[in-house]
Amino acid sequence: MEPNTIEESIKGLLEAIKESPEYLEFQKQSNILKKKPELKERVDTFRADNYKVQNECDSDNLFEVVEQMGKESAELRRHPEVNAYLDAELALCKMMQRICIQLGEGIDIDVPGM
């Protein structure tokens, strides 16, 4: 196998992702939301906070943080453009997750404890 084969395959995969309905819908919804900069800023803050909660939050105040995030989510999702954007983002993330899982399952590597 030539060294460029993997790079070429990655480029092909990226092109396929960029042409997928999930990616195209995400781009469309992102552009719609960008037309409302203040709302986009709120959504981006919510998304960053959500990421932190999922990856860094200590268990002492987790319930309170999650409860506040739920309230903020409900408030933001009252805006149709936010709802459409977050749904499109979720669909794109799920597609990327499926790709990563399939790549991982397709490689025979012995990882202890798994």
Side-chain angles (χ1 to χ4, degrees), residues 60-107:
D60 293 341
N61 65 344
L62 184 60
F63 181 77
E64 292 84 13
V65 172
V66 169
E67 187 175 15
Q68 180 59 37
M69 294 291 299
K71 290 177 184 176
E72 179 67 9
S73 175
E75 166 63 28
L76 285 170
R77 282 192 173 267
R78 288 187 3 202
H79 301 273
E81 57 270 65
V82 172
N83 203 39
Y85 173 81
L86 293 175
D87 286 349
E89 179 186 49
L90 180 60
L92 178 59
C93 288
K94 284 182 176 182
M95 180 186 69
M96 295 298 296
Q97 188 178 43
R98 284 192 314 271
I99 291 169
C100 290
I101 289 169
Q102 288 178 354
L103 286 173
E105 289 175 348
I107 302 297

Side-chain angles (χ1 to χ4, degrees), residues 12-28:
L13 178 58
L14 287 171
E15 284 303 312
I17 290 170
K18 289 177 182 178
E19 293 171 3
S20 72
E22 293 89 347
Y23 185 79
L24 295 173
E25 181 65 17
F26 175 74
Q27 289 297 330
K28 174 185 166 187

Side-chain angles (χ1 to χ4, degrees), residues 25-80:
E25 181 65 17
F26 175 74
Q27 289 297 330
K28 174 185 166 187
Q29 296 305 327
S30 182
N31 289 330
I32 290 170
L33 192 58
K34 285 177 185 176
K35 294 176 183 175
K36 297 187 177 184
E38 292 171 5
L39 188 56
K40 174 146 180 26
E41 185 177 336
R42 282 182 59 200
V43 170
D44 287 345
T45 299
F46 171 78
R47 291 170 59 235
D49 290 347
N50 189 35
Y51 179 82
K52 288 177 191 171
V53 166
Q54 291 182 30
N55 294 288
E56 301 171 7
C57 195
D58 60 26
S59 60
D60 293 341
N61 65 344
L62 184 60
F63 181 77
E64 292 84 13
V65 172
V66 169
E67 187 175 15
Q68 180 59 37
M69 294 291 299
K71 290 177 184 176
E72 179 67 9
S73 175
E75 166 63 28
L76 285 170
R77 282 192 173 267
R78 288 187 3 202
H79 301 273

